[in-house]
Amino acid sequence: MELTLSIIKPDATDKNIIGKIYSRFEQNGFRIVAAKMLHLNYDLAAGFYAIHKDKAFYQELINYMTSAPVMIQVLEAENAVAKHREIMGATNPKDAKEGTIRRDFASSIDKNAVHGSDSIENAKIEIAYFFKDDEIYSNIS
Ligand code: CMP
């Protein structure tokens, strides 16, 4: 069993489709073992995406991620990181396969509905960024 971090982004919370995206998680065998809604401030968003700070899209990414509330959750499943990336689809919804969350709900590379950890190592860092151990209802650490 493995844990990964998921964020439902402002475009998806705006569209009122948190439940639809949660259903995708559950239908694909994930358990939601922690969750919180937050309106990220600049520092929290900038810290989370620090890995991208030299990229051309960084400023726009931070502005966007602080524009409305997001829903943040920890998902548990076997091979959770890879499996979650598979059901999210490619970063750019134009490249995402049919039946993926981004293909079905996202409108652009910026407004791409969801974020997911890209490696087991980053999942641990990202989960710890938003959740204390006693906020995660999982038997694995
Ligand atoms: P996410 O998985 O949240 O990680 C970083 C985000 O930056 C990414 O999804 C996209 O929404 C956004 N982004 C904007 N432009 C690009 C780009 N050219 N390449 C990758 N990510 C981008």
Side-chain angles (χ1 to χ4, degrees):
M1 279 300 202
E2 199 173 279
L3 301 178
T4 192
L5 187 88
S6 151
I7 303 179
I8 299 178
K9 296 189 178 184
D11 53 301
T13 59
D14 274 353
K15 285 185 200 157
N16 201 22
I17 54 170
I18 293 169
K20 284 189 176 153
I21 295 176
Y22 270 26
S23 291
R24 297 288 179 102
F25 298 152
E26 291 171 350
Q27 283 159 6
N28 284 281
F30 291 92
R31 296 189 71 83
I32 298 160
V33 294
K36 60 176 71 163
M37 183 177 267
L38 285 180
H39 193 145
L40 301 179
N41 63 26
Y42 185 93
D43 287 346
L44 206 51
F48 182 74
Y49 280 119
I51 195 168
H52 293 304
K53 69 176 184 307
D54 297 326
K55 306 261 175 64
F57 59 81
Y58 178 72
Q59 202 54 54
E60 207 169 326
L61 173 64
I62 302 309
N63 290 343
Y64 171 61
M65 290 300 288
T66 56
S67 65
V70 297
M71 193 74 203
I72 308 170
Q73 41 284 321
V74 179
L75 305 178
E76 180 186 81
E78 273 184 35
N79 301 314
V81 173
K83 191 170 164 185
H84 182 224
R85 291 185 72 73
E86 199 179 307
I87 69 160
M88 285 194 301
T91 306
N92 190 336
K94 285 183 194 149
D95 302 326
K97 287 187 194 151
E98 255 179 62
T100 61
I101 294 169
R102 283 170 170 155
R103 174 72 173 256
D104 292 343
F105 300 124
S107 51
S108 69
I109 195 165
D110 301 302
K111 297 182 176 168
N112 66 348
V114 283
H115 165 84
S117 308
D118 65 0
S119 66
I120 295 172
E121 190 190 1
N122 281 339
K124 288 186 177 141
I125 295 167
E126 293 184 353
I127 290 167
Y129 191 79
F130 285 117
F131 294 94
K132 297 182 200 138
D133 282 350
D134 66 3
E135 293 175 322
I136 302 169
Y137 295 92
S138 166
N139 291 325
I140 58 170
S141 54

